[in-house]
Amino acid sequence: MGAEIRILAAFLAALAAAAGVAAQLRQDYYAAVCPDLESIVRDAVSQKVQDQPVAVGATVRLFFHDCFVEGCDASVILVSTGNNTAEKDHPNNLSLAGDGFDTVIKAKAAVDAVPACANQVSCADILALATRDVIALAGGPSYAVELGRLDGLVSLSTNVDGKLPPPSFDLDQLTTLFAANNLSQADMIALSAAHTVGLAHCSTFAGRIQPASVDPTMNATYAADLQAACPAGVDPNVALQLDPVTPQAFDNQYFVNLVNGRGLFTSDQVLYSDARSQPTVVAWAQNATDFEQAFVDAITRLGRVGVKTDPSQGNIRRDCAFLNN
């Protein structure tokens, strides 16, 4: 009970802080300076996904990794310099696929190619828009994106420590980490469904499929398939689809997979195996519409995490990968 009270207290405090941020962001933020922003970004993202379908999962993951470290400020896109190791070079971010970064860079170039829009739109907002667009392109919900974020001025590898959930987390650990980012347990479960797209390296789930000790919450056939694809000594670059059933579609199959014991990570399957979160998983496995609404609400709240709107905290980067001189 004490742990639950602490989680609730942290969540309520964070929620109060988030209310002011939500008021500062607005959907029509760029209407006067770049009225065609959303269509410009959508066209660039659509072309990228057409060329590289893996950009869908890569972009969604990039947004999550950005927002959970120093807020949604595109700090994860900054490159390391001679005297500074940036977020993207932290061990937990080395698996972020280049296609996610490239999606933002291409969309930024398309925006800046329009004279009125050049250097008017933040990389943080372009990442938020691109995330919405890749989800919609993969068959997921489209939704209105709040805008007005500034790009962060700081990117430190050390800031990543303890901020991202490893695939080994249990329900309490997940709930606590998300509560620290103004997100409820229901938000966490909804956002976990981003694992309906994307890839994972064998090392991230190897502990669950050891022949002598297969995780009992995993479907036996699925475990055998994973063992065949990820044998001992497998090339560390080998990656498997997070969703083995509809890997290219952003849908509620993620929850159906959990009900069937086909969650790839411990942190996925625990959402079904823990009795406290199981009812939500079952409900969304059975009702895609309810899941999509919950996901839209959750990713909207995610987009408010740690947002910078004061010029003393951020600016609009001319190049997303580098601080302005």
Side-chain angles (χ1 to χ4, degrees):
M1 182 64 72
E4 291 176 353
I5 292 173
R6 287 195 297 274
I7 290 170
L8 180 62
F11 175 63
L12 292 175
L15 198 62
V21 169
Q24 295 175 60
L25 300 178
R26 62 180 197 271
Q27 295 168 20
D28 64 349
Y29 186 84
Y30 296 103
V33 295
C34 189
D36 296 325
L37 171 64
E38 297 209 19
S39 62
I40 296 168
V41 172
R42 188 178 302 112
D43 288 348
V45 171
S46 180
Q47 185 60 56
K48 174 63 184 178
V49 170
Q50 186 176 325
D51 295 341
Q52 293 288 346
V54 296
V56 175
T59 304
V60 175
R61 188 163 179 249
L62 185 66
F63 183 58
F64 178 81
H65 279 232
D66 183 45
C67 293
F68 262 41
V69 182
E70 296 300 300
C72 308
D73 66 350
S75 55
V76 73
I77 303 177
L78 288 168
V79 299
S80 296
T81 56
N83 59 355
N84 179 69
T85 303
E87 289 174 29
K88 70 180 297 186
D89 288 321
H90 186 279
N92 291 353
N93 281 334
L94 293 177
S95 62
L96 289 171
D99 285 303
F101 296 94
D102 194 52
T103 299
V104 178
I105 290 166
K106 281 188 164 54
K108 165 76 166 167
V111 170
D112 285 348
V114 178
C117 302
N119 299 320
Q120 297 292 322
V121 182
S122 70
C123 301
D125 279 342
I126 289 173
L127 174 55
L129 288 168
T131 299
R132 182 269 311 273
D133 292 339
V134 297
I135 289 168
L137 285 165
S142 189
Y143 51 92
V145 176
E146 298 172 339
L147 301 168
R149 303 166 188 80
L150 292 175
D151 295 324
L153 306 176
V154 175
S155 183
L156 298 172
S157 174
T158 51
N159 286 344
V160 180
D161 294 339
K163 300 291 180 58
L164 298 170
S168 59
F169 261 17
D170 64 22
L171 185 68
D172 287 328
Q173 290 169 315
L174 289 167
T175 301
T176 300
L177 185 61
F178 277 69
N181 289 284
N182 318 327
L183 299 164
S184 68
Q185 186 176 89
D187 291 332
M188 178 271 291
I189 298 170
L191 290 169
S192 294
H195 287 171
T196 188
V197 291
L199 303 165
H201 291 97
C202 295
S203 60
T204 57
F205 54 86
R208 300 188 68 209
I209 60 171
Q210 295 302 312
S213 57
V214 173
D215 187 328
T217 65
M218 182 179 281
N219 176 285
T221 303
Y222 185 45
D225 291 342
L226 294 175
Q227 288 169 345
C230 296
V234 68
D235 183 330
N237 293 314
V238 170
L240 303 188
Q241 304 284 2
L242 284 161
D243 178 351
V245 182
T246 57
Q248 306 298 332
F250 196 100
D251 54 19
N252 70 327
Q253 182 64 42
Y254 171 80
F255 298 107
V256 178
N257 292 344
L258 298 187
V259 172
N260 293 329
R262 292 174 177 266
L264 189 58
F265 297 151
T266 298
S267 57
D268 292 320
Q269 195 58 47
V270 73
L271 302 180
Y272 179 75
S273 59
D274 192 306
R276 293 170 295 174
S277 47
Q278 187 180 97
T280 302
V281 170
V282 172
W284 289 342
Q286 296 173 345
N287 192 315
T289 301
D290 287 354
F291 155 61
E292 288 193 352
Q293 185 55 60
F295 181 83
V296 168
D297 292 344
I299 201 165
T300 299
R301 282 190 280 272
L302 174 62
R304 298 170 183 163
V305 173
V307 163
K308 298 164 179 64
T309 56
D310 188 300
S312 67
Q313 300 174 312
N315 57 23
I316 292 173
R317 261 179 243 146
R318 288 186 290 273
D319 183 326
C320 294
F322 299 93
L323 296 173
N324 296 344
N325 292 329

